[in-house]
């Protein structure tokens, strides 16, 4: 009874770990790396999904606004058996579309003055972008699916 409950909740089930291969450059438009699967109980991963999101925050105090944008998404449909004590590496390559923030678009119109004005505008608007790569596995018979998120720095 307890074992069935553990399996249903995903306790001692599949764990994910995301390892990135190289530093990610905006201009390349590709994030590549490896998702490592491990488990304490024998299970089978039905599919693996990857999402790259940007969280764009600007403003201060009560006027702070946060938007989230999906830059790229990929789904790998395959049956991957994972045995206890075994590490299974699944390589991935996720392409994404570069998205310019409204502030960056305004600064681009300035031409040669863009660099100093961009720094000053980011400071005055308190504009920041954070990027996150999320990997999620789909396992049949498990209610709480395993998820792993990694913060990225785009150069």
């Amino acid at each position: 009874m307890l074992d069935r409950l553990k399996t249903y909740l995903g306790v001692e089930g599949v764990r994910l770990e995301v390892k990135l291969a190289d530093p990610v450059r905006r201009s390349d438009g590709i994030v590549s790396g490896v998702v490592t699967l491990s488990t304490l109980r024998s299970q089978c991963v039905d599919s693996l999904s990857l999402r790259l999101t940007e969280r764009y925050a600007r403003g201060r105090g009560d006027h702070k606004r946060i938007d989230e944008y999906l830059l790229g998404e990929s789904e790998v449909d395959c049956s991957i058996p994972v045995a206890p004590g075994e590490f299974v590496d699944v390589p991935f390559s996720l392409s994404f579309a570069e998205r310019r923030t409204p502030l960056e678009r305004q600064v681009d119109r300035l031409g040669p003055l863009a660099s100093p004005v961009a720094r000053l505008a980011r400071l005055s608007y308190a504009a920041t972008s954070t990027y996150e790569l999320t990997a999620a596995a789909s396992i049949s018979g498990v209610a709480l699916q395993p998820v792993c998120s990694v913060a990225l720095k785009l150069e």
Side-chain angles (χ1 to χ4, degrees):
M1 175 74 175
L2 187 59
D3 286 339
R4 285 182 30 206
L5 181 63
K6 281 183 174 180
T7 302
Y8 181 73
L9 294 176
V11 177
E12 298 178 355
V14 174
R15 302 286 175 244
L16 303 176
E17 184 182 352
V18 177
K19 298 173 190 169
L20 299 176
D22 296 322
V24 182
R25 291 185 182 82
R26 263 186 175 193
S27 58
D28 292 346
I30 294 176
V31 178
S32 59
V34 174
V35 176
T36 303
L37 308 170
S38 63
T39 186
L40 295 176
R41 295 172 179 258
S42 182
Q43 289 186 325
C44 186
V45 176
D46 297 329
S47 68
L48 189 65
S49 65
L50 299 161
R51 292 173 54 99
L52 179 64
T53 56
E54 175 186 6
R55 187 175 171 150
Y56 178 62
R58 66 226 178 263
R60 292 185 175 92
D62 293 338
H63 301 289
K64 187 166 189 163
R65 291 186 295 177
I66 299 172
D67 292 327
E68 213 169 281
Y69 302 103
L70 179 64
L71 300 180
E73 188 172 31
S74 174
E75 179 119 9
V76 179
D77 291 326
C78 58
S79 181
I80 304 169
V82 183
E86 179 182 311
F87 294 95
V88 178
D89 291 337
V90 180
F92 70 89
S93 181
L94 174 67
S95 61
F96 64 92
E98 182 179 358
R99 195 193 65 76
R100 309 282 294 166
T101 64
L103 181 62
E104 289 172 334
R105 281 182 272 171
Q106 287 178 347
V107 169
D108 286 346
R109 292 185 205 137
L110 296 175
L113 297 174
S115 181
V117 172
R119 284 191 217 114
L120 184 62
R122 281 193 189 94
L123 286 174
S124 66
Y125 286 121
T128 58
S129 287
T130 56
Y131 302 92
E132 186 176 67
L133 178 67
T134 305
S138 175
I139 302 166
S140 58
V142 176
L144 302 174
Q145 305 297 339
V147 176
C148 178
S149 295
V150 175
L152 292 178
K153 278 197 129 175
L154 291 183
E155 298 175 352

